[in-house]
């Protein structure tokens, strides 16, 4: 049997800069392994190299939703079946050693053995759009929580703590509005003035983040309703929960 007629399975270990590709035959024997650049100029050579090994049955790959997303799209568009491979546990990695070629061969072997049978994570269409928008919204929510925590901590430790005491029981929205309005006057070398100035800036930052979250929700609402109408229709399920998929 000539090489082009031989059935092979590919394995790819993904990195930020380089993908390591490997090929095994239908009984699991290692054929070859090569590194390729992680950019479109490296995808064609990688596919050509795989096809030179034989008839490509499938390719196993970790991180089809992350580092390998673009390559997975390219291979799928080229008619190659891409299989999501779970990351081996630490015990297995210690037992067999770890290197890029080893990981690439392991990905191919996982497909051959049937241990890997997952569908690649799609990064296409409206689902990918929702994922991107939710990622930015999530970071804004995290930053918002950090900001209000910083505000409350500074109110306790501020030299003006006694003056701020009456504000501590206010609901978050009213507290933020109150702190954001006045422009403190005085010498910034005075810790009390510096604390009040810092609280105003933090309050205004919080307001900005809240507007960003509201804008993200407005952008997400029609997309999530289109992609997951049955979820949105459930009682008590909002856009953010319905879009978590």
């Amino acid at each position: 049997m000539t090489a082009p007629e031989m059935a092979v399975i590919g394995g790819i270990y993904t990195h930020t800069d380089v993908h390591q590709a490997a090929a095994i035959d239908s009984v699991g024997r290692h054929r070859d392994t090569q590194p390729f650049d992680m950019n479109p100029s490296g995808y064609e050579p990688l596919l050509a190299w795989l096809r030179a090994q034989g008839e490509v049955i499938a390719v196993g790959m970790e991180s089809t939703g992350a580092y390998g997303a673009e390559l997975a799209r390219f291979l799928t568009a080229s008619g190659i079946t891409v299989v999501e491979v779970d990351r081996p546990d630490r015990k297995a990695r210690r037992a067999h050693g770890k290197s890029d070629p080893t990981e690439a061969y392991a990905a191919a072997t996982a497909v051959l053995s049937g241990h890997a049978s997952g569908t690649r994570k799609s990064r296409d269409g409206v689902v990918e759009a929702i994922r991107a928008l939710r990622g930015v919204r999530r970071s804004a929510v995290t930053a918002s929580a950090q900001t209000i925590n910083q505000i409350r901590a500074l109110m306790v430790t501020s030299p003006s703590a006694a003056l701020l005491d009456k504000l501590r029981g206010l609901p978050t929205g009213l507290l933020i509005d109150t702190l954001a309005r006045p422009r403190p006057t005085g010498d910034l070398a005075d810790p009390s003035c510096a604390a009040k100035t810092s609280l105003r800036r933090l309050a205004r930052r919080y307001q900005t983040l809240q507007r960003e979250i509201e804008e993200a929700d407005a952008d997400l609402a029609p997309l999530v309703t289109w992609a997951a109408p049955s979820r949105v229709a459930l009682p008590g399920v909002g856009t953010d929960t319905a879009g978590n998929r």
Side-chain angles (χ1 to χ4, degrees), residues 2-229:
T2 61
E5 298 170 339
M6 182 177 293
V8 298
I9 295 174
I12 299 174
Y13 182 56
T14 59
H15 270 302
T16 55
D17 299 316
V18 174
H19 290 324
Q20 185 75 29
I24 62 174
D25 64 20
S26 58
V27 294
R29 290 174 296 198
H30 293 189
R31 289 185 53 77
D32 196 8
T33 178
Q34 292 288 335
F36 295 89
D37 290 339
M38 183 193 162
N39 55 54
S41 65
Y43 299 160
E44 288 283 1
L46 188 155
L47 179 57
W49 176 85
L50 272 175
R51 284 175 167 161
Q53 306 303 312
E55 180 186 356
V56 183
I57 304 302
V59 172
M61 187 190 308
E62 291 183 16
S63 302
T64 60
Y67 292 139
E70 188 63 31
L71 176 57
R73 274 195 290 264
F74 170 79
L75 292 175
T76 300
S78 300
I80 302 296
T81 299
V82 177
V83 179
E84 172 74 14
V85 175
D86 292 333
R87 188 178 299 275
D89 60 40
R90 294 178 181 177
K91 183 177 179 181
R93 276 191 160 136
R94 285 196 298 268
H96 297 94
K98 183 180 184 301
S99 69
D100 290 358
T102 299
E103 298 292 321
Y105 277 125
T109 302
V111 175
L112 178 63
S113 67
H115 290 159
S117 57
T119 304
R120 78 173 181 92
K121 293 180 174 63
S122 174
R123 289 286 186 177
D124 304 311
V126 69
V127 173
E128 172 59 12
I130 291 171
R131 184 180 289 112
L133 291 170
R134 287 191 77 249
V136 177
R137 181 190 187 279
R138 190 182 307 114
S139 66
V141 169
T142 299
S144 178
Q146 292 171 339
T147 300
I148 191 61
N149 289 339
Q150 190 175 358
I151 287 172
R152 295 193 184 281
L154 186 55
M155 287 174 63
V156 172
T157 61
S158 167
S160 301
L163 296 175
L164 295 169
D165 188 59
K166 61 182 179 182
L167 301 179
R168 291 190 194 130
L170 295 178
T172 298
L174 184 54
L175 172 64
I176 294 298
D177 289 343
T178 303
L179 292 175
R181 279 197 300 267
R183 182 182 295 275
T185 57
D187 185 359
L188 283 175
D190 176 6
S192 178
C193 180
K196 291 177 182 178
T197 300
S198 298
L199 284 169
R200 180 176 184 268
R201 288 176 180 168
L202 286 169
R204 292 169 70 85
R205 178 189 300 173
Y206 184 89
Q207 290 175 331
T208 298
L209 289 166
Q210 290 303 301
R211 286 194 294 270
E212 185 177 324
I213 293 168
E214 291 169 2
E215 290 172 0
D217 286 339
D219 291 338
L220 282 163
L223 298 178
V224 173
T225 300
W226 184 86

